């Protein structure tokens, strides 16, 4: 009989929530969150288990406040808007329609610093959180390879321009005169003075200098 009571107590704590409760569910399930052991609860807060996957900073964020009118105040732009409601005039017990990414710890805060917490695990959140990380890691090499390809194309383009400019400037040069001049095979033209025979780099010979009319 004692064992049956312990199992029943454990089952109730998992479905209703208590200061150290742990709840599991799937997207679309409805679960109850309870402020067990907290007198006069004044607000609820939520700390996500995978804040980076949701684009959120770490830490708690208020999700519901008690009000004097008896209707809990829920921020209109917060994550649980439209899915979280109170089951009684106060905020002692709440009902949450689960959605992907709701995994985290729910805190019920009382007036006298009393607090209860319920850890919620939505099945599939951990696996879904790994997908963006792996995708980001595989995309980084692709971006790096793309940048390397662009740099290579720019480098080849610059080399092509330099080569073209050098080729263009080389084609426009005037032909150089042949070194060590060559004689005209037709011989000196009419009216040309005959060359002095025996003249050379050392000057005219001391011997007789004759004017050559033919080969010397």
């Amino acid at each position: 009989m004692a064992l049956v009571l312990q199992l029943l107590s454990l089952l109730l704590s998992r479905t209703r929530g208590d200061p150290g409760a742990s709840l599991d569910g799937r997207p679309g399930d409805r679960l109850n969150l309870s402020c067990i052991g907290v007198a006069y609860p004044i607000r609820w807060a939520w700390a996500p288990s995978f804040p980076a996957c949701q684009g959120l900073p770490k830490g708690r964020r208020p999700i519901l406040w008690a009000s004097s009118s008896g209707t809990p105040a829920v921020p209109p732009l917060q994550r649980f808007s439209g899915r979280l409601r109170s089951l009684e005039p106060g905020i002692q017990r709440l009902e949450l329609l689960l959605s992907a990414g709701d995994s985290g710890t729910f805190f019920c805060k009382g007036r006298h610093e009393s607090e209860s917490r319920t850890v919620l695990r939505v099945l599939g959140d951990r696996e879904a959180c790994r997908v963006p990380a792996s995708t980001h890691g595989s995309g980084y090499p692709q971006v790096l390879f793309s940048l390397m390809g662009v740099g290579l194309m720019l480098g080849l383009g610059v080399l092509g321009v330099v080569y073209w400019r050098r080729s263009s400037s080389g084609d426009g040069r005037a032909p150089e005169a042949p070194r060590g001049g060559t004689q005209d095979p037709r011989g000196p033209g009419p009216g040309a003075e005959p060359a002095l025979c025996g003249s050379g780099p050392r000057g005219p010979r001391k011997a007789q200098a004759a004017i050559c009319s033919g080969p010397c």
Side-chain angles (χ1 to χ4, degrees), residues 114-164:
S114 57
E115 183 180 89
S116 71
R117 62 185 61 192
T118 303
V119 178
L120 172 63
R121 289 186 291 266
V122 179
L123 302 180
D125 276 359
R126 182 179 295 274
E127 290 74 12
C129 185
R130 293 174 181 172
V131 174
S134 61
T135 302
H136 177 73
S138 62
Y140 180 76
Q142 295 179 0
V143 174
L144 180 61
F145 291 151
S146 300
L147 292 177
M148 291 177 62
V150 172
L152 180 61
M153 294 298 293
L154 290 176
L156 293 176
V158 171
L159 290 177
V161 171
V162 172
Y163 178 76
W164 177 78

Side-chain angles (χ1 to χ4, degrees), residues 153-194:
M153 294 298 293
L154 290 176
L156 293 176
V158 171
L159 290 177
V161 171
V162 172
Y163 178 76
W164 177 78
R165 293 187 63 181
R166 288 186 176 181
S167 300
S168 300
S169 60
D171 294 341
R173 293 177 181 175
E176 296 180 356
R179 297 180 180 178
T182 58
Q183 295 181 354
D184 192 345
R186 296 175 297 178
E193 296 182 357

Side-chain angles (χ1 to χ4, degrees), residues 64-129:
L64 185 143
W65 289 271
S67 64
S68 57
S69 63
T71 302
V74 180
L77 300 180
Q78 60 107 345
R79 176 181 179 84
F80 302 100
S81 179
R83 299 190 292 117
L84 183 67
R85 68 185 185 93
S86 178
L87 296 176
E88 53 190 30
I91 58 173
Q92 193 78 27
R93 297 175 61 243
L94 307 178
E95 182 186 71
L96 174 64
L97 175 62
L98 295 187
S99 177
D102 287 348
S103 295
T105 304
F106 291 81
F107 300 89
C108 178
K109 189 73 172 178
R111 293 180 181 176
H112 305 291
E113 301 301 324
S114 57
E115 183 180 89
S116 71
R117 62 185 61 192
T118 303
V119 178
L120 172 63
R121 289 186 291 266
V122 179
L123 302 180
D125 276 359
R126 182 179 295 274
E127 290 74 12
C129 185

